[in-house]
């Protein structure tokens, strides 16, 4: 019998080669997955810090341009925007809550947990900083005596 020389031998990967390749890919994913999830958590925390900084700026602008007293009261898992001299005497409030894993900690605002802006004033009555944390990452939000607002990862 004559062998057909036109038939090509089918080449493929052996089961061992496939298993080794899958093992290498799994080890790489074990290294990359925690880094990627931590980066996503940091990004989410920075997004919350950006939102509270935006709300601070919003209240600051309203006090300056609309001639009303405004402020923000900080809690551990939420903060409240208010119109008035203090939260206790506020005419209007808006509560903004954080997810359960994000907390406001280390509130250092001249002995209070409220940042207030007097009528037609850009500068806050109380200034300092506070931290947003998710137990692994922390972002510090600042407001200085001149009314500048910023945040940074610490």
């Amino acid at each position: 019998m004559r062998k057909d020389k036109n038939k090509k031998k089918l080449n493929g990967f052996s089961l061992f080669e496939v298993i080794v390749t899958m093992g290498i890919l799994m080890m790489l994913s074990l290294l990359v997955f925690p880094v990627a999830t931590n980066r996503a958590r940091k990004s989410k925390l920075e997004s919350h810090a950006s939102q509270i900084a935006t709300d601070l700026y919003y209240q600051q602008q309203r006090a300056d341009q609309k001639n009303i007293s405004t402020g923000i009261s900080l809690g551990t898992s939420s903060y409240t925007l208010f119109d008035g001299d203090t939260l206790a005497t506020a005419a209007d409030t808006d509560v903004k809550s954080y997810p359960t894993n994000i907390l406001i900690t280390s509130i250092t605002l001249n002995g209070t947990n409220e940042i207030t802006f007097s009528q037609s004033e850009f500068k806050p009555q109380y200034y300092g900083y506070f931290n947003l944390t998710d137990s692994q990452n922390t972002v510090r939000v600042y407001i200085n005596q001149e009314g500048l607002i910023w945040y940074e990862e610490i």
Side-chain angles (χ1 to χ4, degrees):
M1 272 190 134
R2 206 173 91 179
K3 292 185 180 179
D4 191 4
K5 292 184 180 183
N6 290 336
K7 281 190 175 181
K8 293 184 179 180
K9 183 178 176 186
L10 294 176
N11 292 325
F13 296 106
S14 70
L15 181 60
F16 178 74
E17 291 171 327
V18 170
I19 290 174
V20 167
T21 303
M22 293 297 289
I24 291 170
L25 289 174
M26 288 177 65
M27 283 189 264
L28 283 173
S29 68
L30 286 173
L31 294 173
V32 171
F33 184 72
V35 172
T37 56
N38 190 38
R39 183 62 198 135
R41 290 175 66 154
K42 281 182 185 179
S43 177
K44 191 175 206 178
L45 191 62
E46 287 177 1
S47 173
H48 288 296
S50 175
Q51 181 61 47
I52 197 167
T54 300
D55 286 340
L56 271 166
Y57 182 72
Y58 174 73
Q59 292 294 81
Q60 185 181 47
Q61 294 300 313
R62 290 183 66 228
D64 185 42
Q65 295 176 1
K66 293 194 175 190
N67 198 26
I68 58 173
S69 295
T70 65
I72 292 183
S73 178
L74 302 170
T76 55
S77 61
S78 65
Y79 63 96
T80 305
L81 305 173
F82 62 87
D83 292 345
D85 293 328
T86 65
L87 180 60
T89 63
D92 188 25
T93 62
D94 182 16
V95 177
K96 308 254 180 148
S97 297
Y98 284 125
T100 55
N101 65 325
I102 296 179
L103 299 173
I104 299 174
T105 61
S106 303
I107 300 172
T108 308
L109 301 169
N110 301 0
T112 184
N113 67 336
E114 293 183 358
I115 302 170
T116 57
F117 302 96
S118 298
Q119 294 178 346
S120 300
E121 282 292 323
F122 189 79
K123 297 178 182 180
Q125 292 177 334
Y126 304 104
Y127 52 89
Y129 65 87
F130 56 91
N131 295 339
L132 287 177
T133 184
D134 66 0
S135 75
Q136 291 183 351
N137 304 300
T138 303
V139 175
R140 182 168 285 169
V141 180
Y142 299 90
I143 182 164
N144 70 9
Q145 60 191 8
E146 297 299 319
L148 298 176
I149 303 164
W150 73 98
Y151 60 92
E152 66 183 2
E153 183 182 339
I154 57 171

